[in-house]
Amino acid sequence: LKTHEVTKININQRNFKSIVIDDIGEICSGSVTHKLFADDMKLYSTVDTNVDNVSLQSVLDRLHQWCCDWQLSVNIGKCHVLHIGKNNRHYPYFFNGCQINDACIVSDLGIEFNSALKYDAHINNIVDKAYSIGLAFFSKVLLLDTFQS
């Protein structure tokens, strides 16, 4: 069973889209995969050994230097590490000397999932929202019905 590390980086700049980001691919070379969406970046890597751990940390260090070079700030409070897999060693990761918080549940593009890749929290959240909307709707319908009677 392989273990995976997912690191979410939130770059806190509006002009991020206008910057040429082709060199991010060079920063995230090797066993680390990156995904970009708007001002979010996700790094994925299979971490089976300490060498894999060092490789992912090295990418984070190079990414920090790239952000400094382009004068981009990173909101470390919005950055998370999701450790996936039963035998995951939960290596700590750092960005600019600050440890990135581990997360048990993360939300990505509106979908919540946990380190076991279960969607229970997401489904419960949707059901709770549906109940609250339904309750608000029916209470207004009943209220209108009361005044019309």
Side-chain angles (χ1 to χ4, degrees), residues 13-124:
Q13 297 288 62
R14 291 175 190 245
N15 63 350
F16 179 71
K17 293 178 188 176
S18 66
I19 295 175
V20 178
I21 56 174
D22 292 337
D23 42 344
I24 287 183
E26 295 172 15
I27 293 169
C28 300
S29 61
S31 64
V32 178
T33 304
H34 72 283
K35 300 291 182 192
L36 299 170
F37 182 78
D39 64 346
D40 282 346
M41 176 181 201
K42 288 158 192 69
L43 302 175
Y44 303 87
S45 183
T46 300
V47 179
D48 290 324
T49 66
N50 194 41
V51 172
D52 299 329
N53 168 47
V54 170
S55 176
L56 181 54
Q57 181 60 58
S58 176
V59 168
L60 288 167
D61 294 339
R62 289 194 308 268
L63 182 62
H64 172 255
Q65 185 58 52
W66 181 84
C67 288
C68 290
D69 292 346
W70 286 99
Q71 299 179 357
L72 293 170
S73 62
V74 173
N75 186 344
I76 194 73
K78 290 185 176 181
C79 299
H80 304 286
V81 176
L82 180 65
H83 300 278
I84 300 171
K86 291 181 181 180
N87 299 324
N88 196 299
R89 296 183 185 170
H90 293 256
Y91 290 111
Y93 294 97
F94 298 86
F95 194 85
N96 190 22
C98 298
Q99 185 171 351
I100 302 173
N101 292 329
D102 291 348
C104 296
I105 297 175
V106 295
S107 178
D108 187 29
L109 300 176
I111 299 173
E112 295 179 348
F113 54 95
N114 61 23
S115 59
L117 298 179
K118 303 270 185 191
Y119 301 93
D120 299 348
H122 179 69
I123 293 167
N124 291 338

Side-chain angles (χ1 to χ4, degrees), residues 138-149:
F138 286 117
S139 65
K140 288 183 181 183
V141 168
L142 292 174
L143 184 64
L144 289 173
D145 189 44
T146 303
F147 284 117
Q148 291 176 357
S149 295

